Amino acid sequence: MISEMNFFERIIYILQSYGMSYLAGAGTTLAIAIVATIIGCLIGFAAGVVQTIPLNLDRDSKVKVFLIKAVQTFLHMYVELFRGTPMIVQAVFIYYGLAQIWGIQLGMWQAAFLVVSVNTGAYMAESVRGGIISVDPGQMEGAKSIGMNHVQSMMNVILPQAFRNILPQIGNNLIINIKDTSVLSVISIVDLFFVHKSVSGALYTYFESASIVMLIYLTMTVSVSRLLRLFEKYLDGSDNYELANHMDIGNQMNKKRL
Amino acid sequence: MTPILELSHLEKSFGNHVILRDINFKVNAKDVISVIGASGSGKSTMLRCINLLEIPSGGEILFHGNPILDRKNDIPDYRTKVGMVFQNFNLFSNMSVLENCMVGQIKVLKRSKEEAKIKAMHFLEKVEMEPFINAKPRQLSGGQKQRVAIARALSMEPELLLFDEPTSALDPLMVGEVLSVMKTLAREGLTMIVVTHEMSFARDVSNYVVYMDDGYIIEEGSPDKLFNNPNQEKTKKFLATILS
Ligand SMILES: Nc1ncnc2c1ncn2[C@@H]1O[C@H](COP(=O)(O)OP(=O)(O)OP(=O)(O)O)[C@@H](O)[C@H]1O
Ligand SMILES: [Mg+2]
């Protein structure tokens, strides 16, 4: 009987009976966290880009200025709303609220992805805006000076640099999301934390189950942060460069030696 | 013949701080115009107005006789014809040397990759930076960066190239390599306006010199006239300090 086992025997027993459930829960957690972080980043980039559109009151038409200002105000409110309230409340609010007020019955999965994405988007919007602003203004002037319009300058010059600058924050958000999806158990998402609650509820093994779950969360977050480090290194390229050789340069090199 | 560029009664103020007042001058093909003057006299602002990085508050800029301050004017298209080289290079730090010189050709001029690469290599050879095509800007010295920046601007094959103190951020040792590139370009007939503190360049390379003081052009003419026979007391004083 489980009450007669020691700590390790209990862990082994739990893993033998529920190991697959923990893994499935971890898979769900990871899937929601990764997908929602990606969608959140897309929202964040879109919002950050709109919030940094330069307005030229002399040249731009009044309609354009008004529209952009309206969207910017809306985005500002969105950011404040989702940064300023707990995700656990947002989950309940959206899942039950949409159904009750507008009659939209979201599946719990849709609600889960929606809540985490929109929440991440609010944080990323601010990060992206900051990332764009912190790129040296000279980069934008360089882009303009060769005739790029605003969109081309953003796509080719500013956003790649902003992306690199905020990559650590994207990683941070991913890690936060891996942990915070645990609140989705309020709308019955069977994630890692939900499995823990079920198992420990059934066996009264709170400490043992928590130990297992802690270890799984930690494994996921540490792996993610390692992978992101590698990705950063990859993006930065090597520290040195190769001098181009004859083949690349053509016959010019015959004249010069380097 | 209409000049390439003509500024007439150009004015610029930031708020109620007037920076440029009644600027008039013409740029003809193959002109090499040096703009000299004390710090804060408005040289950079004038150059930035020409490139529309600042929008002038008054006056006209005519490019081949067309008013470019007109609302309907396509600013990016104009900028492909009037390039700019900055004091701080402003190379794209997310791209290699070669990509810096190709991206504008591909995205803006819609040239094919192959054509863009051939052009980029041609101009990188001209500034002797072709061995460094794979380097990132952060891996280059100041003089090398500036030469790449010049190649990037040339890759767009502009009709007029603006230089804003291209050697001011460089160590004395590197000033020479950039100036010699600019001399070659001048000799080959590139039309340029150069804001500079290098009096030897203004005197020996340019064919016209403009002296600015407190937002006005107060003296202009051939290098010989400006350096050897200035009319204005202020010009004489400026030259005396800077040449001593
Ligand atoms: N964006 C701006 N807002 C307000 N004032 C500005 C701005 N840009 C320039 N100025 C002011 O305009 C004046 C002229 O500046 P500008 O940079 O054109 O001078 P400059 O002749 O290029 O000087 P330097 O030789 O130091 O480069 C300065 O007094 C400067 O403070
Ligand atoms: Mg200046």
Side-chain angles (χ1 to χ4, degrees), chain A residues 23 29-30 75 86 178 194 203 218 239:
Chain A
L23 279 186
T29 290
L30 208 53
L75 287 172
I178 289 176
F194 191 96
L203 302 178
L218 198 61
D239 281 339

mmCIF file of all heavy atoms in Angstrom, chain A residues 23 29-30 75 86 178 194 203 218 239:
data_model
loop_
_atom_site.group_PDB
_atom_site.id
_atom_site.type_symbol
_atom_site.label_atom_id
_atom_site.label_comp_id
_atom_site.label_asym_id
_atom_site.label_seq_id
_atom_site.Cartn_x
_atom_site.Cartn_y
_atom_site.Cartn_z
ATOM 1 N N LEU A 23 3.702 13.284 -18.738
ATOM 2 C CA LEU A 23 4.329 13.656 -20.018
ATOM 3 C C LEU A 23 3.327 14.341 -20.941
ATOM 4 O O LEU A 23 3.637 15.356 -21.564
ATOM 5 C CB LEU A 23 4.905 12.418 -20.709
ATOM 6 C CG LEU A 23 6.270 11.958 -20.219
ATOM 7 C CD1 LEU A 23 6.785 10.821 -21.076
ATOM 8 C CD2 LEU A 23 7.263 13.121 -20.209
ATOM 9 N N THR A 29 1.373 21.718 -21.929
ATOM 10 C CA THR A 29 1.941 22.964 -21.408
ATOM 11 C C THR A 29 2.894 23.586 -22.416
ATOM 12 O O THR A 29 2.806 24.772 -22.747
ATOM 13 C CB THR A 29 2.704 22.658 -20.098
ATOM 14 O OG1 THR A 29 1.741 22.323 -19.098
ATOM 15 C CG2 THR A 29 3.517 23.849 -19.649
ATOM 16 N N LEU A 30 3.802 22.744 -22.932
ATOM 17 C CA LEU A 30 4.806 23.247 -23.857
ATOM 18 C C LEU A 30 4.155 23.740 -25.150
ATOM 19 O O LEU A 30 4.513 24.793 -25.683
ATOM 20 C CB LEU A 30 5.805 22.123 -24.158
ATOM 21 C CG LEU A 30 7.224 22.528 -24.536
ATOM 22 C CD1 LEU A 30 7.806 23.466 -23.491
ATOM 23 C CD2 LEU A 30 8.098 21.284 -24.670
ATOM 24 N N LEU A 75 -4.469 50.302 -29.281
ATOM 25 C CA LEU A 75 -3.381 49.409 -28.884
ATOM 26 C C LEU A 75 -2.890 49.734 -27.482
ATOM 27 O O LEU A 75 -2.569 48.855 -26.688
ATOM 28 C CB LEU A 75 -2.223 49.513 -29.881
ATOM 29 C CG LEU A 75 -2.494 48.857 -31.232
ATOM 30 C CD1 LEU A 75 -1.379 49.184 -32.216
ATOM 31 C CD2 LEU A 75 -2.634 47.352 -31.069
ATOM 32 N N PRO A 86 -4.519 40.043 -13.907
ATOM 33 C CA PRO A 86 -3.912 38.703 -13.849
ATOM 34 C C PRO A 86 -4.472 37.790 -14.943
ATOM 35 O O PRO A 86 -5.656 37.868 -15.265
ATOM 36 C CB PRO A 86 -4.339 38.186 -12.470
ATOM 37 C CG PRO A 86 -4.957 39.328 -11.760
ATOM 38 C CD PRO A 86 -5.385 40.325 -12.766
ATOM 39 N N ILE A 178 5.486 29.057 -20.022
ATOM 40 C CA ILE A 178 5.545 27.644 -19.625
ATOM 41 C C ILE A 178 5.033 27.498 -18.197
ATOM 42 O O ILE A 178 4.256 26.598 -17.877
ATOM 43 C CB ILE A 178 6.997 27.119 -19.739
ATOM 44 C CG1 ILE A 178 7.384 26.994 -21.213
ATOM 45 C CG2 ILE A 178 7.137 25.766 -19.034
ATOM 46 C CD1 ILE A 178 8.835 26.586 -21.435
ATOM 47 N N PHE A 194 -2.495 20.563 -13.992
ATOM 48 C CA PHE A 194 -3.779 19.890 -13.821
ATOM 49 C C PHE A 194 -3.553 18.418 -13.489
ATOM 50 O O PHE A 194 -4.194 17.853 -12.604
ATOM 51 C CB PHE A 194 -4.598 20.022 -15.108
ATOM 52 C CG PHE A 194 -6.027 19.611 -14.965
ATOM 53 C CD1 PHE A 194 -7.017 20.552 -14.719
ATOM 54 C CD2 PHE A 194 -6.408 18.270 -15.087
ATOM 55 C CE1 PHE A 194 -8.352 20.176 -14.592
ATOM 56 C CE2 PHE A 194 -7.735 17.883 -14.955
ATOM 57 C CZ PHE A 194 -8.710 18.846 -14.708
ATOM 58 N N LEU A 203 -4.106 10.267 -4.868
ATOM 59 C CA LEU A 203 -3.215 9.444 -4.039
ATOM 60 C C LEU A 203 -2.795 10.114 -2.733
ATOM 61 O O LEU A 203 -2.105 9.502 -1.924
ATOM 62 C CB LEU A 203 -1.947 9.079 -4.833
ATOM 63 C CG LEU A 203 -2.133 8.318 -6.149
ATOM 64 C CD1 LEU A 203 -0.782 8.089 -6.804
ATOM 65 C CD2 LEU A 203 -2.830 6.995 -5.908
ATOM 66 N N LEU A 218 11.250 22.571 -14.546
ATOM 67 C CA LEU A 218 12.622 23.071 -14.587
ATOM 68 C C LEU A 218 13.354 22.564 -15.833
ATOM 69 O O LEU A 218 14.061 23.325 -16.502
ATOM 70 C CB LEU A 218 13.360 22.620 -13.316
ATOM 71 C CG LEU A 218 14.635 23.401 -13.009
ATOM 72 C CD1 LEU A 218 14.316 24.879 -12.804
ATOM 73 C CD2 LEU A 218 15.296 22.836 -11.746
ATOM 74 N N ASP A 239 32.714 35.622 -34.774
ATOM 75 C CA ASP A 239 33.388 36.841 -34.360
ATOM 76 C C ASP A 239 34.368 37.339 -35.403
ATOM 77 O O ASP A 239 34.750 38.495 -35.414
ATOM 78 C CB ASP A 239 34.140 36.602 -33.045
ATOM 79 C CG ASP A 239 33.178 36.650 -31.879
ATOM 80 O OD1 ASP A 239 32.097 37.230 -32.056
ATOM 81 O OD2 ASP A 239 33.500 36.101 -30.819
#
